[in-house]
Amino acid sequence: MNEEFKKTLKSSETEDWLDLHFVRPFCYYWALLFARLDIHPNTVTILSMFIGAGSAIFFGCASFYYNGIEGLMFNLIAILLLCLADIFDCTDGQLARMTGKKSRLGRILDGVAGFAWFIPIYHAMVYRFYLHHELEFQWLGIEDTPENALIATGIAYALGLISGIMGLAGQQRLADYYIQVHLFFLKGEKGSELDNSQRQQEIFDQMDASTPAVERYFQKSYIDYTKKQEAVTPQFQHLMKRLREKYGSTDNIPQEVRDEFRRHSLPVIKWNGLLTFNFRSAWLFLFCLLDVPVMNFVWEIVGMGLLYLYVNHRHETFCRQMADKL
C-alpha cells in the first residue's frame, strides 16, 4: 500500500477487508484518471447515482427461472451496474482527497447516492414480483389469481417501504455516522466529516435568496439527516456534551481520551461495516439470482435490523461508560 494511495483513504480502520484490498485500490486508479481529466468529485457522485438508478431497469426484468438465460444476463448486468455505481461512489471521496476539491455539497451528495440507487431498485423489485410470483405462491399454497396477485404485491410494496425507510435508510445513516465519529476521535475535526444539526441549521439560515434552490433543498435535507443520526445516539451526544463541558472545546480533548474511545470503537466499527454496501448488496444479489427478490426486504427488516440494534447498543454502551467516568 503506497503512501499516495493511503492519502486518498479516510482511514484503513474504517474500511472493511474487501474495500481495503480490492475496491479502494481499483477506485484509486479511477481517481487518477478523473484527476487527469479534471473531472470534479461531485460529477463522479452524480454519475454513480445515474448508473445505480439505471440498474433498476435490469433488476426489474431479470429472472432466470421465468426467462431463462436472458433473465440471468439481465440479473448479471444489474449487479455489474450497481457495483460500478458503488465504485464511482467510493472514487469520488478518494478523488476529493487527492485533488483537495472537498465541499459541503459533495458531502451531502455522497450521503444521498445510496438512496438514489435503491429507491428505484426497490420499486423495480416489487414490479418484478408482480410479474413473476409463481414460486412464492406455490410455496405458500396461494391460488394465482389477479386479485391475489394484487394483494400480494401490495404486501410486497409495504415490506419494501419498511425495508427502505426503517431498514436501508436508518442502517446506512447510522453506519455513516459511526465511521465519521471514529475518524473524529482518530484524526480530529479536520480528519473527519462529523456534522451536527445545529451547525447545519446555522449554515442554512445564512443562505440568502442568491443561493440556488437545489443547494437550499439539499442543505435542508441534510439537517434532517443529521437530526436523525443524533436521535438514535443519545449516549454519544451526552458524551460529547460532557467532553465540551470538561475541556471547553472538542479540540482540547486529551489524546488519552481519544485513544480510549478508539479502543472501544474499533471492534464496533468492524460490525458496523456489515451495515454498508458490500455485505448488504451481497444479499440483494443472492435473492435476485434465486428469483425471490422480496426476500431481500424481509432480510433487511429482520437480519440487518438485528445487526443495526447490536451495533447501536454496543456503541451507546461504551459511550455511556466513558461519560460516567468524566
Side-chain angles (χ1 to χ4, degrees), residues 2 36 58 84 134 149 159 181 200 234 242 266 276 284 322:
N2 64 56
R36 186 172 299 175
F58 296 93
L84 181 61
E134 288 88 342
L159 288 172
V181 166
Q200 297 309 310
R242 291 295 301 274
L266 196 54
T276 57
L284 169 66
M322 287 189 64

Side-chain angles (χ1 to χ4, degrees), residues 227-244:
K227 282 183 176 179
K228 289 177 178 177
Q229 289 176 322
E230 293 162 358
V232 297
T233 55
Q235 296 301 328
F236 172 71
Q237 307 308 321
H238 178 61
L239 173 61
M240 292 296 285
K241 180 180 178 182
R242 291 295 301 274
L243 289 170
R244 292 188 193 97

Side-chain angles (χ1 to χ4, degrees), residues 135-314:
L135 272 175
E136 293 88 338
F137 276 27
Q138 287 175 13
W139 294 339
L140 297 172
I142 300 173
E143 185 181 358
D144 190 3
T145 65
E147 294 79 9
N148 287 341
L150 285 174
I151 293 171
T153 302
I155 294 172
Y157 190 79
L159 288 172
L161 285 177
I162 297 171
S163 172
I165 297 172
M166 297 178 63
L168 170 73
Q171 292 160 12
Q172 290 199 326
R173 188 165 53 233
L174 184 76
D176 177 61
Y177 193 56
Y178 282 160
I179 288 171
Q180 299 307 326
V181 166
H182 187 86
L183 290 172
F184 173 81
F185 281 89
L186 178 66
K187 295 186 172 183
E189 189 170 351
K190 292 183 179 180
S192 76
E193 297 173 335
L194 182 61
D195 294 320
N196 63 78
S197 58
Q198 182 179 354
R199 175 57 184 150
Q200 297 309 310
Q201 184 65 55
E202 291 171 357
I203 293 172
F204 180 79
D205 292 340
Q206 292 169 5
M207 293 178 172
D208 54 29
S210 63
T211 305
V214 65
E215 187 173 346
R216 288 176 60 84
Y217 170 78
F218 277 122
Q219 183 63 30
K220 190 69 175 176
S221 300
Y222 195 53
I223 295 169
D224 180 62
Y225 184 84
T226 52
K227 282 183 176 179
K228 289 177 178 177
Q229 289 176 322
E230 293 162 358
V232 297
T233 55
Q235 296 301 328
F236 172 71
Q237 307 308 321
H238 178 61
L239 173 61
M240 292 296 285
K241 180 180 178 182
R242 291 295 301 274
L243 289 170
R244 292 188 193 97
E245 290 172 349
K246 185 166 184 176
Y247 301 111
S249 167
T250 53
D251 293 332
N252 300 327
I253 298 174
Q255 188 60 44
E256 58 266 24
V257 175
R258 292 182 178 274
D259 290 341
E260 181 184 1
F261 187 96
R262 176 177 169 272
R263 284 196 301 272
H264 289 297
S265 176
L266 196 54
V268 180
I269 284 295
K270 303 303 181 184
W271 288 98
N272 188 69
L274 298 179
L275 293 173
T276 57
F277 179 84
N278 291 337
F279 186 70
R280 178 186 305 281
S281 60
W283 288 97
L284 169 66
F285 300 158
L286 175 64
F287 289 127
C288 286
L289 288 170
L290 292 176
D291 284 318
V292 286
V294 173
M295 283 302 298
N296 185 69
F297 301 152
V298 178
W299 165 250
E300 284 204 329
I301 295 168
V302 180
M304 298 294 287
L306 290 173
L307 177 61
Y308 166 93
L309 292 173
Y310 174 73
V311 170
N312 186 229
H313 172 73
R314 282 194 60 174

